[in-house]
Amino acid sequence: MTMDMTFLGTGSAYPSPHRGASALVLRTDGECWLFDCGEGTQTQLMKSQLKAGRITKVFISHLHGDHLFGLPGLLCTVSLNTNPDPQQKLNCVEIYGPRGLRHFLRVTLGLTGSQLLFPYAVHELEPTTDQSPEEGQLSLEATAESGPLHPQEQLGRTISLDISTDSYLLFEDKKFVVKAFRLFHRIPSFGFCVQELDRPGRLKIEVLKELGLKPGPMYGRLKAGESVTLESGRVVEPIEVLEEAIPGRKVCILGDCSSVVSEESLRLCRGADILVHEATLSDENREKAVDHGHSTPTMAAAVAQACCARRLVLYHFSQRYKPCSMQREGDEDNVSELKRQAEEALQGSGVEVTLAEDFLTLPIPLRR
Amino acid sequence: MTMDMTFLGTGSAYPSPHRGASALVLRTDGECWLFDCGEGTQTQLMKSQLKAGRITKVFISHLHGDHLFGLPGLLCTVSLNTNPDPQQKLNCVEIYGPRGLRHFLRVTLGLTGSQLLFPYAVHELEPTTDQSPEEGQLSLEATAESGPLHPQEQLGRTISLDISTDSYLLFEDKKFVVKAFRLFHRIPSFGFCVQELDRPGRLKIEVLKELGLKPGPMYGRLKAGESVTLESGRVVEPIEVLEEAIPGRKVCILGDCSSVVSEESLRLCRGADILVHEATLSDENREKAVDHGHSTPTMAAAVAQACCARRLVLYHFSQRYKPCSMQREGDEDNVSELKRQAEEALQGSGVEVTLAEDFLTLPIPLRR
């Protein structure tokens, strides 16, 4: 199964002609999962090789506008470009994000008279009080949705912190387990951990032949982890005929933060193939960054190192940092310097550092 | 006083890399009035010669997302780029639009924890039931704002239809009278009529000299329309010493519509220097256009002719129409064809037709 990640917006605070507001797509087998959706994401999608109509799930890390203001428009445009085939029941777009997101969508879609051709559901994460300073916490009253559901809205779940794992279980299916974890920011913010499940190794054809097993349903049962009994009465265990399991990949995408709330989050992200972490400002501006609930490259590096990530991808750069391609000699704020700072902090650790740019696509190869 | 108009987005339904969603700026003496604010307007502003920080008033024609989804983000970005000078009291941004707009902004700014450095007020227009089909009318309940005001919100006015003029008086000051009028669309939509007041003509210096009047306060009083009495007892009337008054300019900007609701609106727009009217689809698609509450070039031309506009500017083109600069020979949908259709309908009328494109600036010269 191919898997890759495309950055649609790598700027902080607001979109600019040089850097879109926060949005990235994780793609697996043609299905697109969108992480954050700042204003202009739909236009960035049009400029990319991705298809907005393939978005099946949306994850919103926190409710700041530069991560959210593009969502109502994106849903409307996907709907406008959907073929209204009455024979075909369209899948529900599953949307995950902090408490208040349901209200936000119901009001923005409702007041604008926006009808969608597909259903959507908003699954809300209940923040805890240690995710933000008190002034950043919205009251239950302010975030509670009111009135009837939007005509295309299906009632989503409310997901509370699972104390035993210190994480939020968003969903699990045959391929993935996706969890969220708590970050500290000016308002409640979350990170997402996408864990692909391990898959059985390839069948050892030579061994199967020796056992006298011919291609057929028994191959499938063995691959699925079941033992089978031959006519001779011999029981064949999967471990005898399967190569080593293919370990699942792990992708961790953190929203805006100056820190993770708990050690358990680092454990959850342990061994991530890719850890996407913000680096809004350079190390020289650490105090300002932390004041605003943000991180510097060295802070991001510390998280990557603590969870032994293979690769750290920096994004969410202050708009003062122009993309490398626009950088001119002598420019004061150089985005390459952010990479250098993270690399310096990670020297000898083996963690690779990548600077995200709008439209950068990173393949996430299978672990062999 | 210089006056010009810049189109920031001329596409309908959604923004694309080729055409932004609806937005245009009317600029007078450096002050910017924004008409509609589709998603991406802030980025279009950055690409233009205009300064977002100069926006003092915003007019929203109707609540469809392609005219509105950019407003919360624009306000946030203007604020982020405002110098937080505690000595300087910042002016209130006045926002005019249909009922429901106050609720929209309060929820979008509130849930995203968006603080502004300047105050804003939303003045809501009360639509009437003959502006849209029944299914396009939002209930009072759905549009009523609830909860406390946003911390930077000042309570705006609720503006009802003035039956005697069949229009809404938005405001009048020493330079302008701005009114709104009703359009028919899928949801309540409005047009805006910006009427510059006539200004006194220049002083006839020769005549003043003959009367023995020297430059001083009396000049100002005469120019302001007051009569003055000379030492000799002679009363000088302004009409004796002033050249002909400079007639005010008139700019009419219509939101999405398939028609204007009443004849009075045409009278209000009479003699407009510029009438900006949508032409979403070509005449061949008239039925589809009207079904969706939209107009074709010939329909727009009829409005321009009925109110004897000097210039008709077409905008709000379906995204199927690429900008002229991107048009290739043999392309099926040609935006120039929309201009041709309007011109044909206006043949002999003397009304000039202009196709708006993103970033087109039209000067609006003084009438001489």
Side-chain angles (χ1 to χ4, degrees), chain B residues 175-232:
Chain B
K175 292 182 186 167
F176 292 100
V177 180
V178 180
K179 292 181 176 178
F181 52 95
R182 298 174 300 154
L183 303 172
F184 189 84
H185 185 50
R186 271 177 299 147
I187 63 172
S189 181
F190 295 90
F192 301 102
C193 176
V194 177
Q195 173 68 66
E196 185 187 27
L197 301 184
D198 292 349
R199 283 178 299 159
R202 275 187 282 192
L203 288 165
K204 296 176 181 167
I205 303 296
E206 286 308 312
V207 179
L208 289 163
K209 272 186 187 161
E210 275 169 32
L211 290 164
L213 257 166
K214 285 180 188 153
M218 282 195 181
Y219 274 37
R221 284 168 54 197
L222 283 163
K223 184 126 189 173
E226 291 176 39
S227 53
V228 301
T229 308
L230 304 182
E231 278 178 19
S232 64

Side-chain angles (χ1 to χ4, degrees), chain A residues 321-340:
Chain A
Y321 301 104
K322 297 215 171 60
C324 285
S325 58
M326 290 183 61
Q327 201 85 47
R328 286 188 198 167
E329 220 172 310
D331 274 1
E332 202 173 332
D333 297 302
N334 195 320
V335 74
S336 312
E337 177 62 10
L338 303 183
K339 186 182 182 198
R340 202 198 55 73

Side-chain angles (χ1 to χ4, degrees), chain A residues 13-17 38-43 46-47 63-65 68-74 76-77 80-81 99-101 103-104 107-114 138 142-143 146 187, chain B residues 13-17 38-43 46-47 63-65 68-74 76-77 80-81 99-101 103-104 107-114 138 142-143 146 187:
Chain A
Y14 52 84
S16 83
E39 182 177 346
T41 296
Q42 59 172 305
T43 322
M46 291 173 202
K47 288 184 191 170
L63 297 182
H64 275 156
L68 176 61
F69 282 152
L71 186 54
L74 175 78
C76 292
T77 301
L80 280 170
N81 292 314
R99 193 182 67 208
L101 184 54
H103 186 39
F104 179 87
V107 169
T108 52
L109 295 176
L111 280 174
T112 56
S114 303
L138 287 167
T143 53
S146 60
I187 63 171
Chain B
Y14 52 86
S16 82
E39 182 177 346
T41 297
Q42 59 172 307
T43 322
M46 291 174 203
K47 288 184 191 170
L63 297 183
H64 275 155
L68 177 59
F69 282 152
L71 186 53
L74 177 78
C76 291
T77 301
L80 279 170
N81 292 313
R99 192 182 68 208
L101 184 54
H103 185 38
F104 179 87
V107 169
T108 52
L109 296 176
L111 280 174
T112 55
S114 303
L138 286 167
T143 52
S146 60
I187 63 172

